[in-house]
Amino acid sequence: MNREVLPANHGFPARLVVPGLYGYVSATKWLTEIELTTWDAFDGYWIPRGWAKEGPIKTQSRIDRPKNGNHIGLGSYTFGGVAWAPTLGIDRVEVQIDEGPWLEAELTVPLSENSWVQWAFEAEVVESGPHTMRVRATDGTGETQPAERVSPKPDGAEGWHTIRFVATEDA
Ligand SMILES: Nc1nc2c(c(=O)[nH]1)N[C@H]1C(S)=C(S)[C@@H](COP(=O)(O)O)O[C@H]1N2
Ligand SMILES: [Mo]
């Protein structure tokens, strides 16, 4: 890792990472034994515990700036966060402030279709008081992440990340 022998706390002697799959079905580490079997004949550790056998990473996006509950000043503000859709890539990220229109954020150039993409959205905050903000991403196939919330179990969370922030004159 980083051109050095894999350290024990990162999984020595072997670390398996499969792009596009959640860790629980792909990120084996601290390998002690390999058994040759078939997909149907074997269930990994988490499967009998109620998690799905296949765990493709879902298209997701997140608001990091501001944090939920933050106070921000009136005037120009750069909202920001990340989005990811391995192995499809991120096509676009849109944000919605209060009940306004969905507007496209700017994206950084991703390292690959598998990597997280940073997004930024500059806006003029003119109304003081509480506001709501939502974000949603669209992947390389044109599919937009679903609005409805779904819990992580059994195969990954869904829903549009939503935060509240307060605009004040003296933040
Ligand atoms: N040996 C071993 N490998 C494991 C696990 C574990 O408990 N033991 N947990 C898995 C889960 S659930 C995840 S999310 C990833 C986390 O990898 P990380 O250390 O890079 O966060 O490792 C996976 N590999
Ligand atoms: Mo996990």
Side-chain angles (χ1 to χ4, degrees), residues 27-41:
T28 303
K29 55 204 172 194
W30 303 306
L31 195 68
T32 56
E33 191 189 312
I34 294 178
E35 186 190 335
L36 191 63
T37 179
T38 62
W39 178 261
D40 290 331

Side-chain angles (χ1 to χ4, degrees), residues 122-136:
E122 210 180 311
E124 209 58 40
V125 182
V126 290
E127 251 178 80
S128 55
H131 294 280
T132 299
M133 184 181 202
R134 287 182 192 84
V135 66
R136 68 181 184 196

Side-chain angles (χ1 to χ4, degrees), residues 46-128:
W46 291 102
I47 315 314
R49 291 164 174 81
W51 293 80
K53 190 154 172 153
E54 297 188 42
I57 295 177
K58 295 175 180 176
T59 300
Q60 286 277 21
S61 54
R62 188 177 85 190
I63 302 162
D64 292 307
R65 185 178 198 269
K67 291 285 181 199
N68 188 42
N70 274 181
H71 289 232
I72 70 170
L74 292 176
S76 169
Y77 186 83
T78 305
F79 298 87
V82 287
W84 59 94
T87 55
L88 309 167
I90 290 291
D91 189 52
R92 66 176 185 277
V93 171
E94 296 160 293
V95 297
Q96 183 191 41
I97 299 174
D98 300 323
E99 296 309 312
W102 285 93
L103 297 170
E104 223 172 304
E106 277 181 66
L107 302 181
T108 55
V109 179
L111 294 170
S112 79
E113 307 277 81
N114 294 320
S115 45
W116 293 30
V117 182
Q118 285 184 295
W119 63 264
F121 182 80
E122 210 180 311
E124 209 58 40
V125 182
V126 290
E127 251 178 80
S128 55

Side-chain angles (χ1 to χ4, degrees), residues 22 56-61 144-161:
Y22 284 121
I57 295 177
K58 295 175 180 176
T59 300
Q60 286 277 21
S61 54
T144 300
Q145 61 176 105
E148 205 189 318
R149 278 171 173 249
V150 163
S151 85
K153 205 170 184 179
D155 67 357
E158 291 178 17
W160 294 341
H161 187 207

